[in-house]
Amino acid sequence: MNLEDLPIRADLRGKTPYGAPQIDVPVRLNTNENPYPPSPALVADLAAEVAAQAGELNRYPDRDALALRADLAAYLGHGLTTERVWAANGSNEVLQQILQAFGGHGRTAVGFEPSYSMHPIITTGTSTEWIGASREDDFSLDAGKAVAAIEEHRPDIVFLTSPNNPTGTALPLATIEAVLSAAPGMVVVDEAYAEFARTGTPSALALLPDHPRLIVTRTMSKAFAMAGTRLGYLAAHPAVVEALLLVRLPYHLSTITQTAARVALRHRAELLGTVDTLRRERDDTVAWLRGKGLVVADSDANFVLFGRFPDRRAVWEALLERGVLIREVGPPEWLRVSIGTGDEMAAFRAALEGVL
Ligand SMILES: Cc1ncc(COP(=O)(O)O)c(C=O)c1O
């Protein structure tokens, strides 16, 4: 029996699943993880905390993850409190819950492409219609055109990604405010890479007090170096959190997940301590690629989009043959490299020189 033989939903027929390759090569620079593993001290603290909780794993976890949400609110600052913060298994699950509560059949979501490929996948997965509007040639967002797209489509949800994946582009607050003024429904600002932004780049968290329909999503998968923990979160008006309680599965965040995330937050000085190194490595990578005569998008994230290669697949494959895995994503002719350790970036540069 094949997939086509099953009575699957018509709108899922012919779709391809999310699929960044997971290939075991020496240098993996393709999913925007933080390359620095947790220290032995952090691992020991985590193991001790998990051991302390393990004797109660016969019980369900705290369904509302109150202690974790309080810790996340304290980390975010901006006067946020537990009731304004929500958490789930990765920001992907947070986004899915937002779509379940505010999207659905007969509703629409607008995003500005190229952007994060999971936004349309999660949107259509909840039977919400996806409308892709476009960014400028330099991947910035023209506020006037964004407002025009919103006025044309009157979407239930608008996605803004800042810094944007796969381009690295951050949005000025004025653009986000223009979108908030025009949007008839919810506005999601996906800030998965916020901690990597260049100094002076503002967070949409600052806009929350004046905008009850704004949702800012974050993750511990990137700067926090905890991709394996699967912990994403959001900040919004308390009523938005109430809406998400209607669609979340009971006990969706395991005791182990909540514990690991709290330990990571306690060790945030160590975990976020790598961010400055990664930003420097990113800026050096941008400069080096430009020095090679390549076109490179400005980046406020932990990855760099560069091109242009008439046959990008050939370049991607030639790098892979040299043991370096990057990502074939974004507009045609462009490739994206995640920022790794100094040694990994040296290996990337050596491999790319060989290919060019
Ligand atoms: C823009 C953006 N949002 C959200 C995510 C999802 O992250 P996670 O589900 O690991 O929190 C990613 C991951 O690549 C991303 O690039």
Side-chain angles (χ1 to χ4, degrees):
M1 190 184 70
N2 295 316
L3 173 57
E4 299 82 60
D5 302 322
L6 287 171
I8 189 174
R9 268 164 42 189
D11 61 346
L12 293 180
R13 274 189 199 280
K15 289 256 164 77
T16 38
Y18 174 85
Q22 290 193 301
I23 307 174
D24 195 10
V25 291
V27 182
R28 282 188 290 168
L29 303 173
N30 75 325
T31 46
N32 300 341
E33 294 145 323
N34 186 320
Y36 296 101
S39 69
L42 198 163
V43 171
D45 194 11
L46 180 63
E49 287 288 341
V50 170
Q53 302 287 333
E56 289 188 42
L57 285 177
N58 56 315
R59 300 291 176 192
Y60 282 116
D62 173 5
R63 200 169 47 214
D64 296 330
L66 292 171
L68 170 60
R69 285 162 60 202
D71 290 354
L72 288 166
Y75 162 64
L76 286 176
H78 290 269
L80 288 162
T81 49
T82 307
E83 64 190 358
R84 292 171 184 272
V85 171
W86 179 244
N89 295 282
S91 49
N92 280 330
E93 189 182 36
V94 171
L95 295 171
Q96 186 178 51
Q97 292 174 342
I98 294 169
L99 262 301
Q100 285 176 313
F102 298 103
H105 187 69
R107 293 190 165 210
T108 59
V110 159
F112 300 89
E113 298 174 322
S115 193
Y116 181 43
S117 62
M118 279 306 297
H119 292 162
I121 292 178
I122 294 171
T123 297
T124 52
T126 57
S127 297
T128 313
E129 186 191 340
W130 174 257
I131 299 167
S134 36
R135 288 171 170 262
E136 302 300 293
D137 287 344
D138 64 357
F139 307 127
S140 65
L141 193 58
D142 180 293
K145 289 186 196 167
V147 166
I150 290 164
E151 284 172 350
E152 179 188 347
H153 299 292
R154 312 285 303 156
D156 299 282
I157 299 166
V158 178
F159 282 100
L160 297 175
T161 314
S162 181
N164 186 44
N165 177 13
T167 65
T169 323
L171 293 174
L173 283 193
T175 305
I176 299 173
E177 283 181 297
V179 166
L180 281 162
S181 312
M186 306 302 294
V187 175
V188 179
V189 182
D190 183 336
E191 290 194 350
Y193 301 96
E195 290 93 344
F196 295 109
R198 285 170 290 184
T199 313
T201 311
S203 164
L205 292 172
L207 302 175
L208 281 171
D210 294 329
H211 297 281
R213 291 181 176 192
L214 168 64
I215 302 175
V216 182
T217 62
R218 295 277 187 106
T219 180
M220 295 184 84
S221 300
K222 311 297 180 182
F224 258 100
M226 281 278 136
T229 301
R230 305 304 297 127
L231 198 287
Y233 54 105
L234 63 74
H237 191 279
V240 173
V241 175
E242 279 179 48
L244 300 181
L245 290 174
L246 300 174
V247 297
R248 64 91 188 269
L249 294 175
Y251 317 108
H252 66 296
L253 266 184
S254 81
T255 301
I256 308 280
T257 302
Q258 294 187 40
T259 301
R262 295 193 69 203
V263 170
L265 282 160
R266 211 157 63 215
H267 287 264
R268 62 175 168 267
E270 172 194 325
L271 291 170
L272 295 174
T274 61
V275 166
D276 278 345
T277 308
L278 289 165
R279 287 153 112 198
R280 268 196 304 278
E281 199 71 56
R282 167 199 66 206
D283 294 341
D284 291 351
T285 303
V286 170
W288 184 84
L289 289 165
R290 285 187 178 145
K292 293 286 152 199
L294 294 163
V295 191
V296 187
D298 285 332
S299 176
D300 274 290
N302 66 335
F303 52 81
V304 175
L305 190 73
F306 64 102
R308 303 177 60 156
F309 306 106
D311 186 355
R312 74 169 173 181
R313 169 49 68 94
V315 177
W316 181 84
E317 278 173 355
L319 288 172
L320 190 56
E321 274 164 27
R322 289 164 169 80
V324 178
L325 175 63
I326 66 167
R327 189 84 188 275
E328 192 185 4
V329 69
E333 305 196 352
W334 295 77
L335 291 166
R336 190 194 70 193
V337 62
S338 308
I339 301 303
T341 63
D343 285 350
E344 288 171 330
M345 297 319 287
F348 163 72
R349 289 193 296 270
L352 189 60
E353 283 210 285
V355 174
L356 296 175

